[in-house]
Amino acid sequence: MAKILIIGCGSIGMQLAQDLSAKGHQVTGLKRNPPTTATGYVNYFTADISSADDIKDLPADFEVVYFIVSPDGRNKESYQAVYESGLNNLLDRFSREGANPQWIFVSSTGVYGQSQGEWVDENSVAQPENITSQLIRQAEQKLMDTDINNIVVRFSGIYGPGREYLLKTAAQVPAIQKNPSYFTNRINQLDCVGVLVFLLECRLAGKALEQCYIASDDDPASMWDVMVWLTEHMDCPSPTVKSTGNDSVMNKRCNNQRLKALGYKFHYPDFKAGYIELIK
């Protein structure tokens, strides 16, 4: 069993900690504001990773580090705090102790700048135009350059309990671009946790792993098709057609075959399987 540090214990990190603990791993969660009562399955280290002083006493003897952070805001400074300063502080902390844990870094398919409906995979060019995605991409590359065994996982749009933006949008009779279609990509929160557990088990089993995996379901779908399906099953009015669209920034299709070839099986292989549970 492994000694594991989870940096960032939001909904995904907390569920991951619970699942890994249940499998017998020793789990520590790094969080600025940990629960005040014991959870029974995870130890906590209270810290803000953007402060080197906060992590000066962080143990360094972890075998695996998960990096699952959420910036405070959608601005450059918030992303720099975690993906630049925070990551550098952590790498410096482990380096000073002579530690070399293996990292599993949660990234985003937002690092792809493609916007014409192209299929993208792990070998596609990842050159985002916006600064926040650029900072994520820089952090990815830093970790991959640091150690060939470090893994980057690029999640597409995450949905699930508490992440119901599309359901709320569908209920408001949205205006959606229909032609030309623009494609969107999703992954259920349960599959996010499943992928992170799966990759660790592959690593511990000695399987050869790539440095990067796209984690997105089997069904890139146009936003029009998604919204029509949602409104039908929610008994809401159908979306209206947006006469002119500027939604192409999201327009790409994510190929998950590398992850599936490794053996991962999605709990929710398409948006219909996942959203029908949320609707019910």
Side-chain angles (χ1 to χ4, degrees), residues 67-104:
F67 193 83
I68 320 174
V69 299
S70 296
D72 285 339
R74 300 290 298 175
N75 54 70
K76 176 181 177 181
E77 293 73 21
S78 295
Y79 276 67
Q80 282 179 317
V82 291
Y83 288 107
E84 195 170 89
S85 300
L87 180 59
N88 288 337
N89 288 339
L90 289 160
L91 289 172
D92 289 344
R93 169 63 189 155
F94 292 129
S95 177
R96 286 198 304 272
E97 297 294 325
N100 187 34
Q102 294 177 357
W103 290 66
I104 299 178

Side-chain angles (χ1 to χ4, degrees), residues 3 60-65 94-95 98-103 147 150:
K3 188 171 184 181
D61 59 339
F62 298 103
E63 298 164 70
V64 177
V65 173
F94 292 129
S95 177
N100 187 34
Q102 294 177 357
W103 290 66
D147 190 329
N150 291 337

Side-chain angles (χ1 to χ4, degrees), residues 175-182 222-225 228 239-245 247:
I176 303 294
Q177 179 179 318
K178 184 176 181 180
N179 291 305
S181 297
Y182 72 95
S222 76
M223 183 57 81
W224 176 261
D225 290 343
V228 167
T240 61
V241 178
K242 181 186 285 188
S243 57
T244 58
D247 301 306

Side-chain angles (χ1 to χ4, degrees), residues 3 14 59 62 81 95 120 124 133 185 188 195 221-222 232 238 242:
K3 188 171 184 181
M14 290 289 283
F62 298 103
S95 177
V120 295
S124 299
S133 294
N185 304 269
N188 189 280
V195 167
S222 76
E232 287 176 351
S238 297
K242 181 186 285 188

Side-chain angles (χ1 to χ4, degrees), residues 13-260:
M14 290 289 283
Q15 186 60 56
L16 176 65
Q18 184 173 4
D19 290 0
L20 293 177
S21 178
K23 291 177 179 292
H25 299 290
Q26 184 179 343
V27 181
T28 296
L30 189 154
K31 190 174 174 69
R32 284 181 299 180
N33 299 296
T36 54
T37 56
T39 61
Y41 58 81
V42 58
N43 300 311
Y44 283 102
F45 186 92
T46 304
D48 180 343
I49 61 172
S50 66
S51 166
D53 190 61
D54 266 20
I55 61 170
K56 62 182 175 60
D57 296 322
L58 176 69
D61 59 339
F62 298 103
E63 298 164 70
V64 177
V65 173
Y66 284 96
F67 193 83
I68 320 174
V69 299
S70 296
D72 285 339
R74 300 290 298 175
N75 54 70
K76 176 181 177 181
E77 293 73 21
S78 295
Y79 276 67
Q80 282 179 317
V82 291
Y83 288 107
E84 195 170 89
S85 300
L87 180 59
N88 288 337
N89 288 339
L90 289 160
L91 289 172
D92 289 344
R93 169 63 189 155
F94 292 129
S95 177
R96 286 198 304 272
E97 297 294 325
N100 187 34
Q102 294 177 357
W103 290 66
I104 299 178
F105 177 95
V106 170
S107 181
S108 165
T109 56
V111 299
Y112 294 108
Q114 289 82 342
S115 62
Q116 302 301 313
E118 303 98 321
W119 280 97
V120 295
D121 62 19
E122 293 82 358
N123 295 318
S124 299
V125 173
Q127 293 180 340
E129 293 186 3
N130 66 78
I131 184 60
T132 54
S133 294
Q134 289 172 9
L135 288 164
I136 297 174
R137 179 72 185 96
Q138 290 167 17
E140 280 188 0
Q141 196 61 54
K142 186 177 188 69
L143 271 181
M144 289 193 286
D145 291 343
T146 297
D147 190 329
I148 195 172
N149 291 311
N150 291 337
I151 298 172
V152 166
V153 186
R154 293 172 177 163
F155 287 144
S156 61
I158 302 170
Y159 72 97
R163 299 175 187 263
E164 299 160 358
Y165 170 78
L166 285 186
L167 295 183
K168 295 175 183 176
T169 301
Q172 296 170 359
V173 195
I176 303 294
Q177 179 179 318
K178 184 176 181 180
N179 291 305
S181 297
Y182 72 95
F183 291 92
T184 57
N185 304 269
R186 279 153 297 276
I187 182 170
N188 189 280
Q189 184 170 298
L190 181 62
D191 277 306
C192 292
V193 177
V195 167
L196 295 175
V197 173
F198 172 75
L199 289 172
L200 174 68
E201 291 178 337
C202 288
R203 172 54 51 81
L204 295 178
K207 288 188 177 181
L209 298 178
E210 302 285 351
Q211 275 200 293
C212 182
Y213 291 92
I214 286 177
S216 187
D217 71 24
D218 295 343
D219 186 26
S222 76
M223 183 57 81
W224 176 261
D225 290 343
V226 172
M227 281 297 167
V228 167
W229 186 91
L230 286 176
T231 55
E232 287 176 351
H233 287 78
M234 294 169 63
D235 293 324
C236 295
S238 297
T240 61
V241 178
K242 181 186 285 188
S243 57
T244 58
N246 59 354
D247 301 306
S248 62
V249 67
M250 296 189 292
N251 190 12
K252 55 182 173 281
R253 288 176 280 182
C254 295
N255 184 329
N256 64 11
Q257 289 307 300
R258 176 179 286 184
L259 184 62
K260 292 182 69 175

